Structure formats: C-alpha cells, structure tokens
Amino acid sequence: IRYSPAVIGEGVVGPDGQPRSYYKYWSPRAQQSMADHVAGLLKLYRGNHGEVRIGGEERLPICSMWDPVAAPSFDEDGIGRYRCFLRERYGRIEALNERYGASLADFDRLDPQTYWQREPVTAADSAKRTPAFWKHVDNLLYLQWELERYFKAMRGKLHAVEGKLLLMPNLSQWS
C-alpha cells in the first residue's frame, strides 16, 4: 500500500514537486475515502465478524486502512499546514529562529528548505542540539500533530458510519 498512489483520496506532493504514495490525511476527500472504506467493510462483513464487550457495551473492533502513516506535503497546502504547526509550537518567530539558526521575519517566510531536515541527523547534532537536530525533532512532532488531528476527525466520521466501532489506532497491518 505504501508503494501505490492515493487512488481514491488526495495524495501528498514530494519536495521535488512529484506526487508521493501517501494520503493527505487532512484532506476532506481522503478522510471521506477512509470512512467509505470502513462503511464498505461493514456492509461486506456485517453478521460475520466478532464483537467485544467493553464496560458492558458491545463494540465492533476493526482494523482497516484508516490507520495512516503520515507524510508531509510540499505543495502550498502542506507548507501552510507545517507553518501552522510551527506557529503553534513556537508562538514567536524569534524562538524558531534561535533553534534553527535562522533570521526569518515571520512564519510565512518559511519554506521547506528551511524547515524540513533532509540530511541524516548525526550523534554530534543530537549532542550539540544543532539546528539540524531541532528541525528533525520538529519534523517528527509535525507528523504526530497531523495524526492527532486525523484521528480526532476520523473518530467522528467513523462513529457516524457505525456508533459501535471500537477505534484504536493500530499500525500492525504493516508489520
């Protein structure tokens, strides 16, 4: 699945401007494709699946591709989302400039070359807390930020499909 294009939802764009094989999980179109996928599974397997009881309630456990592997997008939409994340994280551009060794006037001046760490972070970077280290930390925290928002959005969408769904993010389908 990681090597296939986003065939129903909306995909991300790589730093080279080319489409990548990951969904844009903040996209309403991608989220709806995931909800439709789960609705289709429930229709297909209704009456032929297990239920569990949690706190006396019957729940329907499901593992489907609604559990994502987040990826950045380097189009205007993705850049805007990353800038939003950094605004929330740092609050002031001066704080980001200090960490990144930059001298940007505001968050809107950030571009992927400034914020996305492409080179491997070395042990020395980690020990010295270099700008490369902080960019890498922020890159990972951004992916977590996107996943948290995605899971919150999908919880509502999937419970609208079936209120008894037991939703627990599970990436085991790729292990």
Side-chain angles (χ1 to χ4, degrees):
I1 194 165
R2 287 300 108 215
Y3 305 104
S4 302
V7 294
I8 297 175
E10 188 176 357
V12 300
V13 175
D16 58 0
Q18 297 301 308
R20 293 288 191 257
S21 297
Y22 293 90
Y23 284 95
K24 203 181 260 190
Y25 287 100
W26 60 89
S27 157
R29 186 171 148 211
Q31 290 178 7
Q32 189 58 51
S33 73
M34 301 301 171
D36 292 346
H37 172 73
V38 169
L41 289 173
L42 291 172
K43 183 178 178 183
L44 185 64
Y45 296 110
R46 176 75 62 194
N48 194 25
H49 57 75
E51 292 184 355
V52 295
R53 284 199 170 285
I54 297 179
E57 291 183 47
E58 286 185 4
R59 304 302 294 270
L60 302 172
I62 189 164
C63 181
S64 76
M65 63 176 283
W66 76 271
D67 291 330
V69 175
S73 191
F74 296 96
D75 57 1
E76 285 303 312
D77 186 33
I79 292 168
R81 290 198 58 93
Y82 201 92
R83 288 174 179 160
C84 179
F85 159 74
L86 290 175
R87 275 187 195 95
E88 284 184 21
R89 177 156 163 71
Y90 288 98
R92 300 176 311 111
I93 193 66
E94 295 80 11
L96 179 132
N97 282 336
E98 184 178 328
R99 286 255 170 106
Y100 285 23
S103 56
L104 299 163
D106 60 57
F107 287 98
D108 291 332
R109 306 266 179 187
L110 280 162
D111 59 31
Q113 292 74 30
T114 306
Y115 65 70
W116 200 261
Q117 182 61 34
R118 289 182 180 82
E119 300 299 319
V121 174
T122 66
D125 288 323
S126 296
K128 294 177 184 176
R129 300 298 195 257
T130 66
F133 168 82
W134 289 113
K135 290 176 189 181
H136 180 69
V137 167
D138 286 348
N139 295 167
L140 295 175
L141 289 173
Y142 166 73
L143 298 176
Q144 177 183 343
W145 183 83
E146 284 294 1
L147 286 176
E148 287 171 355
R149 277 150 187 76
Y150 173 75
F151 288 137
K152 183 177 180 179
M154 289 308 297
R155 178 184 182 130
K157 290 179 188 316
L158 294 177
H159 279 150
V161 168
E162 171 56 70
K164 291 180 10 177
L165 285 177
L166 174 61
L167 303 176
M168 298 179 358
N170 180 353
L171 298 178
S172 66
Q173 65 189 30
W174 287 292
S175 59

